[in-house]
Amino acid sequence: MDVPALPDVPVRAVLELLAVVVGAMSGALAAVRKQFDLFGILVLAWAAGLGGGVLRDVLIGAVPPVGISDGRLMAAALVGGLVMYFGHPRLERARRMILVLDAGALALFAVVGTVKGLEYGATPLAAVVVGVLTGIGGGMLRDLLTGEVPVVLHQRQLYAVPALLGSIAMAVLWHADQRGAVALTAVAAGVFALRVAALRFRLNAPGPWRGTGPSSGR
Amino acid sequence: MDVPALPDVPVRAVLELLAVVVGAMSGALAAVRKQFDLFGILVLAWAAGLGGGVLRDVLIGAVPPVGISDGRLMAAALVGGLVMYFGHPRLERARRMILVLDAGALALFAVVGTVKGLEYGATPLAAVVVGVLTGIGGGMLRDLLTGEVPVVLHQRQLYAVPALLGSIAMAVLWHADQRGAVALTAVAAGVFALRVAALRFRLNAPGPWRGTGPSSGR
Amino acid sequence: MDVPALPDVPVRAVLELLAVVVGAMSGALAAVRKQFDLFGILVLAWAAGLGGGVLRDVLIGAVPPVGISDGRLMAAALVGGLVMYFGHPRLERARRMILVLDAGALALFAVVGTVKGLEYGATPLAAVVVGVLTGIGGGMLRDLLTGEVPVVLHQRQLYAVPALLGSIAMAVLWHADQRGAVALTAVAAGVFALRVAALRFRLNAPGPWRGTGPSSGR
């Protein structure tokens, strides 16, 4: 795969903005369902779209986090929030499409988050942690702020695992000096494909261990 | 308005301590209602009185935050917590007075938080975010630690909006080199007046959008 | 008490790893009870075992926190999580043993957290706060992520108070230049003893104040 015609930074920036919009839409939808007011809806849009990156930046010392200082990212969260605010009666029916877009956001956040951690000199282990956190942290904040147990922790269906595998792959490639657009795109595509497959084929993580005795049949 | 006789720093410091006491009282009251023990009551006093500033300081890199290292601020939170601990049967009846004092705390925190963000070199956008967070973050922590959805996100009645307008005004004035006691006092007074007006005249933020169709009548 | 034969660092490191394992087990158990999936169980193990230290490190500016960058600590949290994942039907019956181990973890975290705060130049007050937070923060995160009000805030039975007294004692000893293994061990032993005594003799912190009138009889 050869992509010399595509300049690296703009593509990455555009995709990241799109990921923020999609994340923000999920936050705004959760807030609409809880009857939050307009301010609360926009805060949830911000938290779901940019909260994972804010946690990452605080953990690696990149303060103030881009999630509160970058005007384009904030605008993307605002757009996502307003789109859902005005469009939610129709957008709720587009649930399937939103799940697919969210898979793309997960993939991008995990890859971009891991790379940023490595760029800030984090250990590979810490970079993987903040990569996964960039992918799932926004959704966790969304759930906590709406009074729910974070769905990523108990939903079974693979969500964090694709992000984790992608972050590990990205950290390995980085240390093998594969840091270009091709490497990032390939890993993000893999995370996206795995997440979509989990949705399509209902791939589940195991629940609590029930032992091997006769009572474990259920 | 000319206030040359009032030295800037002591007035700001005294008002900030008063704001912490009031915030701490709201946290302690929430904890008393949830039957927390004395330690929990004092933790909630600390979280509600100083939590917004701690979030601000972590986001702008001013660590350790003053909310855990400044003895006078900690003492103010402790005083607010103990006043509510011993006085809550009587103070619950003074609900109206506490709401007005809380409006003052909101105003002071928003202005002081925005200025501190700007002093630490944050972008105007980030300074506004941390200013609002200084104003509303303590109450959000209070609600999360007592198992409630943050009231600021769904209560309708204007609370965050005055803080947001005040933070924006403060950031604009700051960049116009209006950084003295007069500018700070004027903005804080405006936030306070707007919040009290919201209480008095039941000014509400809009709830979820219901579209313009016939089914939106409810 | 003379302990020249015991090298300081390895003992401290081994005890800290053991404390992380015990904390992680309490997080994994809470997650198992909430029917979390395997990923959620391991996240809760991490949060309960290392979350207090992560909060401490963010507050004192020691980023990235050791709780996401130190492979041995992460491995200890993973071990604790897996032990509880596979062993929970049997380990639930060992509740008393786990409570005693947890008392040891509380003692170690409080002492080690206070010392790290002081080493990073925090004021004595801030060092005491982060010391207590190292001890109780993991459990608070565990409770928040499983949708519970933090038990340390309302359970009455002394838990945070031993950590608080130990952190204060450690800060005083530190400033008296008593920073060796003997001082750390003595304070940790005191915290452990006080916590075990609270368990054994049901020592409680006071609940909400009910005044002195006739209605306060209950």
Side-chain angles (χ1 to χ4, degrees):
Chain A
M1 203 194 304
D2 204 357
V3 288
L6 282 175
D8 181 18
V9 176
V11 170
R12 176 172 152 188
V14 168
L15 288 175
E16 200 176 354
L17 289 177
L18 190 64
V20 172
V21 171
V22 173
M25 287 172 67
S26 87
L29 180 58
V32 165
R33 286 182 177 157
K34 293 275 178 173
Q35 297 289 312
F36 281 16
D37 63 25
L38 179 54
F39 175 77
I41 292 167
L42 296 180
V43 167
L44 262 287
W46 171 84
L50 294 170
V54 167
L55 293 176
R56 172 200 64 210
D57 287 354
V58 166
L59 288 175
I60 63 176
V63 290
V66 290
I68 69 168
S69 62
D70 184 319
R72 288 171 312 164
L73 291 175
M74 295 281 280
L78 189 66
V79 165
L82 290 175
V83 164
M84 188 53 80
Y85 180 70
F86 289 112
H88 69 89
R90 242 159 302 174
L91 285 167
E92 293 214 51
R93 272 170 258 143
R95 192 176 153 278
R96 187 185 297 255
M97 191 196 68
I98 291 176
L99 278 175
V100 174
L101 284 173
D102 182 70
L106 178 74
L108 283 165
F109 280 145
V111 170
V112 171
T114 307
V115 167
K116 184 162 185 182
L118 292 164
E119 286 171 350
Y120 269 77
T123 63
L125 182 63
V128 168
V129 171
V130 297
V132 174
L133 197 59
T134 310
I136 71 172
M140 291 180 71
L141 271 182
R142 174 199 65 209
D143 295 343
L144 289 175
L145 289 174
T146 52
E148 301 289 334
V149 172
V151 68
V152 70
L153 299 178
H154 63 82
Q155 66 172 354
R156 303 287 156 87
Q157 214 166 71
L158 295 187
Y159 189 90
V161 170
L164 177 61
L165 296 176
S167 291
I168 293 171
M170 195 62 240
V172 170
L173 285 171
W174 178 272
H175 281 275
D177 275 321
Q178 301 295 317
R179 308 176 181 187
V182 176
L184 272 69
T185 308
V187 175
V191 174
F192 177 73
L194 190 50
R195 171 62 187 148
V196 170
L199 284 168
R200 178 74 184 77
F201 303 109
R202 303 183 184 281
L203 304 180
N204 286 351
W209 180 258
R210 293 180 190 285
T212 54
S215 68
S216 66
R218 187 180 164 273
Chain B
M1 201 194 305
D2 204 358
V3 288
L6 283 174
D8 182 20
V9 175
V11 170
R12 177 172 152 188
V14 167
L15 288 175
E16 201 175 353
L17 290 177
L18 190 64
V20 171
V21 170
V22 173
M25 286 171 67
S26 87
L29 180 58
V32 165
R33 286 181 177 157
K34 293 275 178 175
Q35 297 288 313
F36 281 16
D37 63 27
L38 179 55
F39 175 78
I41 292 168
L42 296 180
V43 167
L44 263 287
W46 172 83
L50 293 170
V54 167
L55 293 175
R56 173 201 63 210
D57 288 354
V58 166
L59 288 174
I60 64 177
V63 290
V66 289
I68 68 168
S69 62
D70 184 319
R72 286 171 312 162
L73 291 175
M74 295 281 282
L78 188 67
V79 165
L82 290 175
V83 164
M84 188 53 80
Y85 180 70
F86 289 112
H88 70 90
R90 244 159 299 175
L91 285 166
E92 292 213 53
R93 274 171 257 143
R95 191 177 155 277
R96 188 185 295 255
M97 191 195 70
I98 291 176
L99 278 175
V100 173
L101 284 172
D102 182 70
L106 178 75
L108 283 164
F109 279 145
V111 170
V112 170
T114 307
V115 168
K116 183 162 186 183
L118 292 164
E119 285 171 351
Y120 270 77
T123 64
L125 183 63
V128 168
V129 171
V130 297
V132 174
L133 198 58
T134 310
I136 70 173
M140 291 179 72
L141 272 183
R142 173 199 64 207
D143 295 343
L144 289 175
L145 289 175
T146 52
E148 301 289 333
V149 173
V151 68
V152 70
L153 298 178
H154 64 81
Q155 64 174 357
R156 302 288 156 86
Q157 213 166 71
L158 295 187
Y159 189 89
V161 171
L164 177 61
L165 296 176
S167 291
I168 293 172
M170 195 61 239
V172 170
L173 286 171
W174 178 272
H175 281 275
D177 275 323
Q178 301 295 319
R179 307 177 181 187
V182 176
L184 272 71
T185 308
V187 174
V191 174
F192 178 73
L194 191 49
R195 171 61 187 148
V196 170
L199 284 168
R200 178 75 184 76
F201 303 109
R202 301 183 185 284
L203 303 180
N204 285 352
W209 181 256
R210 294 180 189 285
T212 53
S215 68
S216 66
R218 187 185 164 272
Chain C
M1 201 194 303
D2 204 356
V3 287
L6 281 177
D8 182 19
V9 175
V11 170
R12 177 173 152 189
V14 168
L15 288 175
E16 200 176 354
L17 290 176
L18 189 65
V20 172
V21 171
V22 173
M25 286 172 67
S26 85
L29 179 59
V32 165
R33 285 181 177 156
K34 293 275 178 174
Q35 297 288 312
F36 281 16
D37 63 25
L38 179 54
F39 175 78
I41 292 167
L42 296 180
V43 168
L44 263 286
W46 172 83
L50 293 170
V54 168
L55 293 176
R56 173 200 63 209
D57 287 353
V58 166
L59 289 175
I60 63 175
V63 290
V66 290
I68 70 168
S69 63
D70 184 320
R72 287 172 311 163
L73 291 175
M74 295 281 279
L78 189 67
V79 165
L82 290 174
V83 164
M84 188 54 79
Y85 180 71
F86 289 111
H88 69 90
R90 241 158 303 173
L91 286 166
E92 294 214 51
R93 270 170 260 143
R95 192 176 154 277
R96 185 184 297 255
M97 190 195 70
I98 291 176
L99 277 175
V100 173
L101 283 172
D102 182 69
L106 177 75
L108 283 164
F109 280 145
V111 169
V112 171
T114 306
V115 167
K116 184 163 184 182
L118 292 164
E119 285 171 349
Y120 269 76
T123 63
L125 182 63
V128 168
V129 171
V130 298
V132 174
L133 198 58
T134 310
I136 71 173
M140 291 179 71
L141 271 183
R142 173 199 65 207
D143 295 343
L144 289 175
L145 289 174
T146 52
E148 302 289 333
V149 173
V151 68
V152 70
L153 299 178
H154 64 80
Q155 66 174 355
R156 304 285 157 90
Q157 214 166 70
L158 295 187
Y159 189 88
V161 170
L164 177 62
L165 295 177
S167 292
I168 293 172
M170 196 62 240
V172 169
L173 286 170
W174 178 272
H175 281 275
D177 274 323
Q178 301 295 319
R179 308 176 181 187
V182 175
L184 272 71
T185 308
V187 175
V191 174
F192 178 74
L194 190 50
R195 171 61 186 148
V196 170
L199 285 168
R200 179 73 185 79
F201 302 109
R202 301 183 186 284
L203 305 180
N204 286 351
W209 180 257
R210 293 180 191 285
T212 53
S215 69
S216 67
R218 188 184 163 270

